[in-house]
Amino acid sequence: MIETGAGLRAGFTDAAYEAAGVEIAASAEALWDVADIVAKVRPPTPDELGRTREGQLVISFFYPAQNGDLLDLAKDKGASVIAMDMVPRISRAQKMDALSSMANIAGYRAVIEAGNNFGRFFTGQVTAAGKVPPAKVLVVGAGVAGLAAIGTSTSLGAITYAFDVRPEVAEQIESMGAEFVYLDFEQNQDGAATGGYAAPSSPEFREKQLEKFRELAPEMDIVITTALIPGRDAPVLWTKDMVEAMKPGSVIVDLAAERGGN
């Protein structure tokens, strides 16, 4: 069963699902009432979990470490939960790594949305009518979303810069045609953590990072922030003074807004 209209914005009509043998539920409520297994992308709301029953299974992004109340609600109802965000990010589990597949789309989309809101070309142009400089794009955080954004930005012809606290990604960034932003920081800080995420940085490192961003802010046309630390609020990396230092008409796309924002 599928909720009516659920696929429309992705280009899949109810008729296409019916042709494939799927039953259309008139509403989400109707679907929760009869389905034994409910699959959804967003974490369930308290109202939705309130509709669950003994033995029902919910599969979604759930973030159990951050959503203890929702977990208790599911337990009280006797429902089971499979949290797709807890699938380990290892080779064997790659085909189930829903976080990476969504982050890949988000990184690509961030550049497309930025371009749609930016008044110039990404690529530089020299024509009889004059010269247009290429856009300068800074991507903060070079995980799955960041690398997708870098790939899209460089393929559109922008001069692309990228920063990450994990030194090993510098090679990946440069192999995609972007420039890695190095910090003038003497202590060797490796910000890698398990599971493909970055670890929290030391206050000294963070200060150097912000200093570098302040230096870059007036030059950048587009900034895309992606940095996330699992189980914590996103680190605030692009501060009010940096926003104010940017040129009018610049664009910021914050992919970490849901976790507090960069």
Side-chain angles (χ1 to χ4, degrees):
M1 291 183 78
I2 190 162
E3 179 192 352
T4 182
L8 276 180
R9 292 188 63 185
F12 298 103
T13 61
D14 286 357
Y17 283 111
E18 281 180 312
V22 177
E23 193 180 320
I24 307 297
S27 64
E29 290 79 5
L31 193 144
W32 281 90
D33 287 345
V34 297
D36 298 311
I37 299 169
V38 177
K40 71 187 298 275
V41 178
R42 308 293 303 145
T45 63
D47 283 353
E48 286 172 331
L49 280 180
R51 291 194 196 100
T52 56
R53 59 182 182 277
E54 184 84 33
Q56 200 169 22
L57 172 63
V58 180
I59 304 172
S60 75
F61 286 124
F62 199 91
Y63 306 99
Q66 289 88 56
N67 289 321
D69 293 351
L70 285 182
L71 211 51
D72 289 341
L73 184 53
K75 196 166 72 173
D76 293 344
K77 288 284 188 173
S80 300
V81 172
I82 291 177
M84 291 304 293
D85 48 281
M86 297 299 287
V87 174
R89 300 175 86 180
I90 55 176
S91 305
R92 199 153 48 96
Q94 205 140 33
K95 68 174 78 169
M96 293 175 69
D97 186 356
L99 278 175
S100 287
S101 59
M102 293 294 104
N104 183 32
I105 296 165
Y108 163 79
R109 189 75 197 190
V111 178
I112 301 302
E113 295 292 343
N116 194 39
N117 285 280
F118 182 57
R120 281 206 336 260
F121 300 109
F122 268 71
T123 186
Q125 292 211 348
V126 180
T127 70
K131 190 165 78 169
V132 180
K136 287 186 176 178
V137 177
L138 172 65
V139 179
V140 181
V144 176
L147 289 171
I150 291 163
T152 310
S153 174
T154 54
S155 64
L156 286 171
I159 298 173
T160 309
Y161 301 84
F163 175 82
D164 198 283
V165 296
R166 296 162 294 181
E168 73 271 18
V169 300
E171 205 175 296
Q172 296 171 24
I173 288 165
E174 284 162 1
S175 73
M176 297 180 82
E179 187 179 318
F180 185 66
V181 174
Y182 286 96
L183 297 187
D184 182 17
F185 192 71
E186 284 174 14
Q187 290 160 269
N188 181 26
Q189 159 132 354
D190 185 350
T194 52
Y197 282 101
S201 306
S202 69
E204 298 77 19
F205 185 86
R206 182 179 152 74
E207 211 36 64
K208 278 289 180 194
Q209 198 177 336
L210 296 182
E211 195 181 299
K212 189 68 179 177
F213 292 162
R214 283 189 188 100
E215 189 187 306
L216 291 171
E219 294 176 44
M220 293 302 137
D221 297 305
I222 292 167
V223 174
I224 295 169
T225 57
T226 73
L228 287 171
I229 297 165
R232 301 172 61 136
D233 285 342
V236 178
L237 301 174
W238 206 257
T239 55
K240 186 172 185 284
D241 62 309
M242 294 172 201
V243 177
E244 287 166 351
M246 292 176 79
K247 296 187 286 281
S250 303
V251 180
I252 301 168
V253 182
D254 183 15
L255 291 184
E258 189 178 35
R259 298 293 310 145
N262 294 152

